[in-house]
């Protein structure tokens, strides 16, 4: 099976232009393609996995990736999938985030001469003269068509700022610029980016003529894709200082039964034949499939040693054979205890399982906290210091968050 057919078989492709030409170029290793990453945080998230693994697959097949850091477009903010305007970041914050992205991408993609390229659209967007820009490309965009685009339609009720309205033009200009200066002939992005991406394809055609072969592919974005990388309202980061390898492993270990095979197919490099075999698993076997998914992705991001440690810590929750020392832990000092005890609310806040006493109280009242084998039912509960000696105590928040409290 060639690479384009494999992408289809894995369920990655949603929409394409020029499919026959795209298939020929990708299978022949002739595509120079880009995927953009706006620098809205100082770490990539698990939600970026689909793009990162796609770039790796295509590079292994001889194609050349361009990882485009959105140092310029981040200053405007993409309205796609948003109900309100994104927070405005300073240029210093954006530059810092871009450097963090680059370090993380290097774990997935091989950069260097005749290999992948890393670019930052701030290098050309920030130097554009506004009047010159609109004279050059403005006539290529129909306002009527732009307002019909899905990325704008969902914002019209609450209000779409003129700042955000320019995002499509900026993104389109990126493709136009890289087509001319870097030989970039293909763009990939989420299915919710289809309108923005078609803008770039159309701009190239109108400015450079119908023989300018610029092609667009969007990746599958469905309910799983939209929620990927989110847990309990928080992002699952690739930076181990923001999401530990154990927490990262646990996120994937706890995906829904209905999503586990889909995630394995989309995100891992396991052979399709093996995945087809896994797809026939049922019942308790799905837990084994989740362990495979969690280990594969944790090893990809954090290395095999960390993946083994995370798996051992997870196994410790269900048997006596695991190593709880690798579980996220908080060390309690003498100063944390009053008269030899620590209160339940103080403990949850200290372990970062709640942001305040009020949140901790609500968690307990809702029956969402277990300590060892005992559900905490009284927010006024006190626990003696000696209970945290040795291996400490495992605290469970909800069904999926585990944390160890231990004496320093």
């Amino acid at each position: 099976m060639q690479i384009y057919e494999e992408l289809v078989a894995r369920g990655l492709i949603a929409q394409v232009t020029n499919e026959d030409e795209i298939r020929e170029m990708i299978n022949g290793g002739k595509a120079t393609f880009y995927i953009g990453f706006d620098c809205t945080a100082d770490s990539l998230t698990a939600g970026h996995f689909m793009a990162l693994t796609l770039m790796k697959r295509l590079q292994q097949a001889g194609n050349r990736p361009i990882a485009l850091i959105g140092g310029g477009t981040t200053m405007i903010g993409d309205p796609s999938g948003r109900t309100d305007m994104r927070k405005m970041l300073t240029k210093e914050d954006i530059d810092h985030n871009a450097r963090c992205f680059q370090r993380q991408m290097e774990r997935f993609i091989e950069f260097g001469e005749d290999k992948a390229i890393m670019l930052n659209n701030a290098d050309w967007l920030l130097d554009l003269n506004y009047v010159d820009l609109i004279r050059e490309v403005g006539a290529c965009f129909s306002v009527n068509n732009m307002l019909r685009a899905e990325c704008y339609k969902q914002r019209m009720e609450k209000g779409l700022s003129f700042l955000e309205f320019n995002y499509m033009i900026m993104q389109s200009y990126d493709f136009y610029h890289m087509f001319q200066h870097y030989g970039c002939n293909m763009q990939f992005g989420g299915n919710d980016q289809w309108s923005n991406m078609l803008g770039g394809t159309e701009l190239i055609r109108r400015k450079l003529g119908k023989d300018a072969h610029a092609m667009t592919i969007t990746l599958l974005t469905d309910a799983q894709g939209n929620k990927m990388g989110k847990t309990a309202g928080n992002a699952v980061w690739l930076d181990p200082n923001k999401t530990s390898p154990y927490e990262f492993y646990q996120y994937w270990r706890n995906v829904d039964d209905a999503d586990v095979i889909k995630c394995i197919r989309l995100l891992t490099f396991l052979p399709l034949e093996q995945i087809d075999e896994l797809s026939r698993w049922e019942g308790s076997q799905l837990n084994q499939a989740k362990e495979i998914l969690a280990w594969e992705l944790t090893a990809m991001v954090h290395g095999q040693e960390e993946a083994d440690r995370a798996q051992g810590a997870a196994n410790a929750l269900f048997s006596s054979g695991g190593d709880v020392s690798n579980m996220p832990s908080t060390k309690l000092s003498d100063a944390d205890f009053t008269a030899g005890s620590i209160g339940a609310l103080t403990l949850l806040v200290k372990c970062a399982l709640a942001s305040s006493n009020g949140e901790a109280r609500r968690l307990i009242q809702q029956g969402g906290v277990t300590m060892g084998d005992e559900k905490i039912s009284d927010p006024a509960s006190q626990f003696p210091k000696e209970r945290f000696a040795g291996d400490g105590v495992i605290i469970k928040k909800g069904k999926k968050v585990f944390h160890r409290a231990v004496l320093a």
Side-chain angles (χ1 to χ4, degrees), residues 295-334:
W295 190 93
E296 289 288 335
L297 298 189
T298 305
M300 198 184 304
V301 175
H302 299 296
Q304 293 186 14
E305 185 176 347
E306 289 292 350
D308 288 340
R309 288 177 179 171
Q311 190 168 64
N315 290 340
L317 299 173
F318 306 103
S319 69
S320 58
D323 181 3
V324 297
S325 66
N326 293 313
M327 187 180 297
S329 302
T330 296
K331 292 184 178 180
L332 303 176
S333 67
D334 290 341

Side-chain angles (χ1 to χ4, degrees), residues 40-57:
T40 53
D42 59 0
S43 172
L44 296 166
T45 74
H48 291 107
F49 245 124
M50 201 180 294
L52 293 171
T53 57
L54 173 82
M55 295 175 89
K56 185 173 183 176
R57 292 183 210 279

Side-chain angles (χ1 to χ4, degrees), residues 95-127:
D95 289 343
H96 169 73
N97 294 348
R99 291 191 295 270
C100 294
F101 277 23
Q102 179 171 350
R103 289 193 295 270
Q104 292 174 349
M105 287 179 182
E106 288 170 348
R107 292 189 63 92
F108 293 85
I109 308 157
E110 191 174 359
F111 293 94
E113 188 174 354
D114 296 325
K115 297 176 182 176
I117 309 171
M118 184 166 290
L119 301 174
N120 189 327
N121 61 18
D123 293 340
W124 56 83
L125 291 181
L126 299 188
D127 291 334

Side-chain angles (χ1 to χ4, degrees), residues 331-404:
K331 292 184 178 180
L332 303 176
S333 67
D334 290 341
D336 295 314
F337 296 87
T338 301
S341 296
I342 187 171
L345 304 184
T346 302
L347 180 62
L348 291 177
V349 173
K350 176 72 177 178
C351 293
L353 295 172
S355 60
S356 65
N357 284 350
E359 182 184 349
R361 182 177 289 105
R362 286 192 295 274
L363 282 171
I364 292 172
Q365 291 172 339
Q366 293 166 3
V369 180
T370 302
M371 188 166 165
D373 296 325
E374 172 191 353
K375 185 179 287 285
I376 301 177
S377 56
D378 183 358
S381 297
Q382 295 283 327
F383 306 101
K385 182 194 295 187
E386 54 267 24
R387 185 165 181 180
F388 302 92
D391 288 336
V393 177
I394 296 175
I395 303 169
K396 182 180 177 183
K397 171 185 169 183
K399 296 181 178 179
K400 300 179 179 180
V401 178
F402 296 86
H403 196 91
R404 186 171 65 107

Side-chain angles (χ1 to χ4, degrees), residues 173-216:
Y173 191 90
D174 284 342
F175 194 17
Y176 173 60
H177 179 89
M178 288 184 291
F179 183 92
Q180 295 181 91
H181 296 279
Y182 296 94
C184 181
N185 51 29
M186 198 174 296
Q187 59 179 335
F188 282 81
N191 201 26
D192 57 347
Q193 291 285 311
W194 181 248
S195 299
N196 285 350
M197 295 167 70
L198 285 181
T201 305
E202 179 65 11
L203 176 60
I204 291 170
R205 188 190 67 80
R206 294 190 61 175
K207 294 294 296 182
L208 303 178
K210 64 180 180 180
D211 293 329
H213 295 276
M215 285 150 280
T216 297

Side-chain angles (χ1 to χ4, degrees), residues 6 10 32 34 59 66 75 113 117 147 169 198-199 223 254 263 268 287-288 290 316 345 362 395:
E6 181 179 348
R10 287 183 179 272
T32 298
Y34 94 91
Q59 185 175 43
I66 297 177
M75 299 190 76
E113 188 174 354
I117 309 171
L147 291 176
I169 298 175
L198 285 181
N254 289 311
C263 288
T268 76
N287 289 327
Q288 298 178 46
K290 292 178 185 181
L345 304 184
R362 286 192 295 274
I395 303 169

Side-chain angles (χ1 to χ4, degrees), residues 267-299:
L267 304 175
T268 76
F269 286 79
L270 296 177
L272 285 168
E273 296 80 6
Q274 181 180 352
I275 298 172
D276 288 341
E277 179 64 29
L278 296 179
S279 69
R280 291 190 280 272
W281 288 7
E282 297 178 348
S284 62
Q285 287 182 306
L286 288 175
N287 289 327
Q288 298 178 46
K290 292 178 185 181
E291 291 175 0
I292 291 171
L293 170 68
W295 190 93
E296 289 288 335
L297 298 189
T298 305

